[in-house]
Amino acid sequence: MNELFDPDWGFSTLGIRAAEPRTENGEHSASVSLTSSYVFGSAAEAAAVFQGKAPGYIYSRFTNPTVEAFERRLAAMEGGESCVATASGMAAILTLCLSVLNMGDHIVASRGLFGSTINLFNNILERFGLSVSYVDMTDVAAWDAAMQDNTRLLFVETPSNPLVELADIAAIAEVAHRRGALLCVDNCFLTPVLQQPLKLGADFVIHSATKYLDGQGRCVGGAIVGDAQRVGKDVFGFMRTAGPCMSPFNAWVFLKGLETLSVRMKAHCENSRALAEWLEEQPAITRVFYPGLSSHPQHVLAQRQQSGYGAIVSFELDGGRDAAWKLIDSTRMISITANLGDTRTTITHPATTTHGRITAEARAAAGITEGLVRIAVGLEDIADIQADLARGLV
Ligand SMILES: *Cc1c(COP(=O)(O)O)cnc(C)c1O
């Protein structure tokens, strides 16, 4: 492992050069260490490594050189001391909760969370004696008001899906710490290239590496980033025993993904901004949601907290569900899928897919109307994305 990297390097350099794994063979591009276990030269050496008295790898559920390289590089990019890679983004959230929470603890979370996260909190963690309150993420006073004596974790996803509302990370971190709780930010939508929650006061960052870290829709994985004690010792200790670890092959794909993350995120942002501005000019569209537009109610917060606006653009069509479905069905290139973080642009109708199983009242409260369409903007030529959408807008 090449330990010689400067944590002050820019994102492109860190993504390409930080923690580059290199064996004695001197390979230039990272190789993948596909082995479940490691051998020792002697009984004494095995004993020393098992007792932690000598460095070395034992078993890939505990540590693996390729997984470790991905963890160190992502930690460097997020400005964290430690990172633990997991089998999926959901495994990262579960691992974090089971590492830092105890029976009877309370979580305060933003209302618009990823559907599986809400399911995990409400239908699984509650069975083990944890409770959750949901708040309007944009309202700092609401976070404060939801705090209880047993609140241990605040959990937020910013920007939210699909309306790209923002939470003020620094203000919510202050609420958490004043009340003796910890803040976790799901940074999946922006990646460290566009937002670094730890530097704004968050204690943990969660990733679904499945999205932009991979960037080409190949592998499922996740990660938790934070300090050397809570993540490096507590979360790692849970992970190595409970076993929701990342496969070395997937770690290699993500490690290569990090090499192009900076340039990809910039290109995603450029396409998204151009698309959002173009959508705002279309007569059939009544409203466009994108933090990069000056019409976005939190545009100023986005400028302060983020170094780019991300690649999720949502908009409302005049004609309700009929118009939304007609637009979606008129596309020939854009993929009809709820996935995101891919080179390929995707389109989805939140009211009947990602948010189809909540009640109509809950949907209305969340601002998810029948005319709402969400685009996760990919890296195709912007003219082709626009042409594909224009067909259904007439
Ligand atoms: C996809 C996603 C997750 C879950 O990640 P998986 O890798 O699918 O388990 C969590 N949070 C957000 C914001 C996501 O988009």
Side-chain angles (χ1 to χ4, degrees):
M1 180 90 61
N2 175 16
E3 303 287 356
L4 295 176
F5 71 88
D6 181 345
D8 293 328
W9 277 343
F11 288 108
S12 302
T13 313
L14 284 173
I16 292 166
R17 297 264 178 196
E20 182 79 342
R22 190 161 288 158
T23 70
E24 66 280 8
N25 295 328
E27 63 275 25
H28 190 207
S29 175
S31 57
V32 52
S33 187
L34 275 183
T35 178
S36 52
S37 68
Y38 291 82
V39 294
F40 305 97
S42 67
E45 188 191 329
V49 174
F50 268 81
Q51 287 163 27
K53 289 181 181 154
Y57 299 98
I58 297 171
Y59 187 53
S60 286
R61 166 154 49 77
F62 308 165
T63 53
N64 170 280
T66 316
V67 175
E68 207 168 78
F70 166 73
E71 291 170 336
R72 288 195 193 179
R73 185 172 296 180
L74 183 60
M77 294 175 85
E78 285 285 1
E81 293 170 348
S82 291
C83 172
V84 170
T86 55
S88 67
M90 290 316 303
I93 299 173
L94 176 69
T95 296
L96 177 74
C97 290
L98 297 187
S99 302
V100 305
L101 299 174
N102 290 302
M103 192 161 75
D105 283 346
H106 175 244
I107 302 170
V108 180
S110 54
R111 200 164 275 138
L113 290 182
F114 184 66
S116 297
T117 309
I118 295 180
N119 226 336
L120 171 71
F121 286 174
N122 291 356
N123 300 328
I124 298 176
L125 294 186
E126 291 218 347
R127 292 197 350 248
F128 296 90
L130 296 163
S131 57
V132 190
S133 303
Y134 294 95
V135 296
D136 172 353
M137 66 189 283
T138 65
D139 182 356
V140 177
W143 288 88
D144 213 345
M147 301 293 288
Q148 303 174 4
D149 290 342
N150 59 342
T151 305
R152 178 85 179 125
L153 185 69
L154 277 60
F155 191 98
V156 67
E157 210 176 289
T158 179
S160 70
N161 179 31
L163 293 176
V164 287
E165 291 184 309
L166 309 187
D168 185 334
I169 295 172
I172 295 167
E174 192 278 322
V175 170
H177 298 153
R178 181 158 40 79
R179 303 290 293 267
L182 300 165
L183 173 64
C184 175
V185 176
D186 183 331
N187 203 24
C188 170
F189 279 21
L190 292 181
T191 82
V193 174
L194 305 178
Q195 174 171 275
Q196 294 174 289
L198 299 177
K199 294 191 176 159
L200 297 165
D203 302 283
F204 305 106
V205 164
I206 286 287
H207 274 287
S208 167
T210 317
K211 313 296 168 52
Y212 295 101
L213 304 192
D214 175 316
Q216 296 178 50
R218 297 161 293 191
C219 293
V220 174
I224 304 155
V225 190
D227 69 26
Q229 176 61 44
R230 291 197 186 94
V231 173
K233 293 214 158 60
D234 302 345
V235 171
F236 173 69
F238 175 88
M239 199 283 304
R240 68 171 268 166
T241 300
C245 52
M246 176 178 280
S247 113
F249 179 80
N250 290 4
W252 177 77
V253 172
F254 298 136
L255 188 69
K256 301 305 287 179
L258 290 180
E259 290 187 20
T260 55
L261 184 65
S262 181
V263 69
R264 282 188 286 110
M265 291 316 289
K266 283 173 197 151
H268 276 293
C269 288
E270 215 169 281
N271 262 0
S272 304
R273 195 191 181 105
L275 185 69
E277 284 169 0
W278 179 81
L279 290 167
E280 264 195 330
E281 290 165 7
Q282 305 306 311
I285 293 174
T286 51
R287 191 165 167 200
V288 180
F289 302 87
Y290 186 61
L293 295 172
S294 53
S295 60
H296 190 281
Q298 296 169 294
H299 181 58
V300 173
L301 174 60
Q303 282 177 318
R304 187 171 81 228
Q305 174 167 286
Q306 306 174 189
S307 55
Y309 303 109
I312 306 298
V313 180
S314 294
F315 54 92
E316 235 161 52
L317 285 160
D318 215 356
R321 182 189 296 197
D322 288 348
W325 280 25
K326 175 174 160 257
L327 173 72
I328 292 168
D329 292 340
S330 302
T331 59
R332 292 178 200 157
M333 177 191 79
I334 297 174
S335 316
I336 305 174
T337 169
N339 198 26
L340 61 100
D342 199 298
T343 50
R344 284 156 288 221
T345 298
T346 68
I347 189 165
T348 188
H349 184 241
T352 51
T353 59
T354 50
H355 295 70
R357 292 170 72 180
I358 59 175
T359 65
E361 295 76 46
R363 236 182 348 260
I368 313 234
T369 62
E370 291 286 331
L372 187 75
V373 172
R374 189 202 75 184
I375 309 266
V377 184
L379 301 179
E380 304 96 335
D381 289 291
I382 185 65
D384 295 325
I385 300 171
Q386 287 167 352
D388 208 30
L389 291 169
R391 211 176 291 117
L393 285 173
V394 288

